[in-house]
Amino acid sequence: MTTDTTGRTDTRSAGPADRPGGYDSVGRPTLLRLTLVELRKLADTRAGYWLLITIGLIAAIIVAVLLFTAPDPDQRFEYFFALSQIPVGVLLPILGILLVTTEFSQRTVLTTFALVPQRHRVVVAKLGAGVVAALISVLASLATAALGTVIAGLTGDGGSWSTDLSAFVGAAVFQTVNVLLGIAFGLLLQSTPLAIVLSLVLPIAWSMLGGMIERLRSAAEWLDTGLTTAALVEPPDPGHLDGGQWARLGVSVAVWVLLPLLAGLVRTVRREVS
């Protein structure tokens, strides 16, 4: 409220442009806030919501199957935790794809980029949300494996809790790579069915070719993510990688994750949104 030289009083409230600093004083949303928004989008959409529930159910089903079928010595925490990672890792790329492509299919990308014109910040927030979702899936597997170990101890001769930190680190890296692979394909292709099909078919096709063709086997050891990530989760020593295995994992991640991710980021920043 202001008073002019004639004594009249202006009862209009001051707008953002009238405040000290103008619109700049409002500030842009922080990266943490954007990441929380992307996590909210992931949980609020029907496909993302049911996919998250499916991931938890699959981890529980794997543990239940092992309780009924595995011999008592194998009914221990290490096996429950490690084997539940593999089917969950198949679904996490789809979760990453949905995190990106639903913005374009449901046209919410118009609102997102209008509120946050710096598109690279939105992409970084989606990457952060994907990593958080991957770590949550590891925690879900951890909880179901612990429950299975307790049941195995109560009903039989199993129930061993022996494991080490490398198993948890390996699982976290494994699931993070999987979800980032999905986000990279989603950004590059920006089409849900096309990204899902290619993210599943191309690695499998490459694995088959590497297994069948002698000349491709040495290249497959460096470029087949199925081979390079296996040591992260597979028993009996999940997460124990030597220097060569880490090098092969890095090369395969650079080819299948970083390259499509960078190309997808460029396409997202330059794309005309309509």
Side-chain angles (χ1 to χ4, degrees):
M1 183 174 69
T2 59
T3 304
D4 60 18
T5 54
T6 62
R8 291 180 298 179
T9 300
D10 185 0
T11 57
R12 293 176 301 173
S13 59
D18 297 321
R19 300 188 188 111
Y23 284 99
D24 292 339
S25 64
V26 177
R28 61 184 184 181
T30 64
L31 197 57
L32 176 60
R33 187 178 183 86
L34 291 177
T35 302
L36 293 176
V37 170
E38 294 300 331
L39 283 171
R40 181 71 179 272
K41 289 178 186 176
L42 185 63
D44 281 355
T45 56
R46 185 176 300 175
Y49 173 77
W50 283 108
L51 193 56
L52 288 171
I53 291 179
T54 302
I55 288 173
L57 288 176
I58 285 180
I61 290 172
I62 292 295
V63 172
V65 169
L66 289 175
L67 283 172
F68 284 103
T69 61
D72 286 346
D74 291 341
Q75 292 186 12
R76 58 179 191 264
F77 178 81
E78 184 180 17
Y79 270 66
F80 289 140
F81 180 67
L83 294 181
S84 64
Q85 300 302 316
I86 297 174
V88 172
V90 175
L91 294 178
L92 277 176
I94 300 176
L95 191 71
I97 289 170
L98 293 178
L99 184 62
V100 175
T101 55
T102 50
E103 288 268 25
F104 293 93
S105 62
Q106 298 180 9
R107 300 177 67 82
T108 56
V109 70
L110 291 170
T111 304
T112 299
F113 288 159
L115 294 174
V116 186
Q118 302 86 6
R119 298 182 183 184
H120 66 281
R121 299 186 75 233
V122 176
V123 173
V124 172
K126 289 183 181 298
L127 293 173
V131 172
V132 171
L135 297 180
I136 290 175
S137 76
V138 174
L139 293 178
S141 299
L142 190 68
T144 55
L147 180 61
T149 307
V150 172
I151 296 174
L154 294 175
T155 58
D157 295 331
S160 171
W161 292 87
S162 63
T163 187
D164 54 32
L165 182 62
S166 61
F168 305 120
V169 175
V173 174
F174 179 76
Q175 304 300 13
T176 299
V177 169
N178 284 319
V179 78
L180 293 183
L181 174 70
I183 293 176
F185 272 75
L187 284 173
L188 180 62
L189 302 172
Q190 298 178 2
S191 166
T192 302
L194 185 61
I196 290 177
V197 169
L198 291 183
S199 68
L200 295 177
V201 170
L202 287 180
I204 294 175
W206 175 242
S207 296
M208 293 178 63
L209 291 174
M212 291 187 298
I213 302 175
E214 183 69 25
R215 294 183 177 180
L216 294 180
R217 287 182 182 174
S218 59
E221 292 177 356
W222 290 83
L223 299 176
D224 184 353
T225 53
L227 293 176
T228 59
T229 60
L232 291 170
V233 292
E234 286 185 354
D237 294 316
H240 289 277
L241 278 71
D242 57 29
Q245 289 174 310
W246 280 113
R248 288 190 283 274
L249 175 63
V251 171
S252 64
V253 169
V255 172
W256 289 99
V257 177
L258 291 183
L259 287 181
L261 183 62
L262 292 175
L265 176 60
V266 172
R267 186 185 181 195
T268 302
V269 170
R270 293 184 175 180
R271 178 178 176 176
E272 183 71 25
V273 179
S274 58

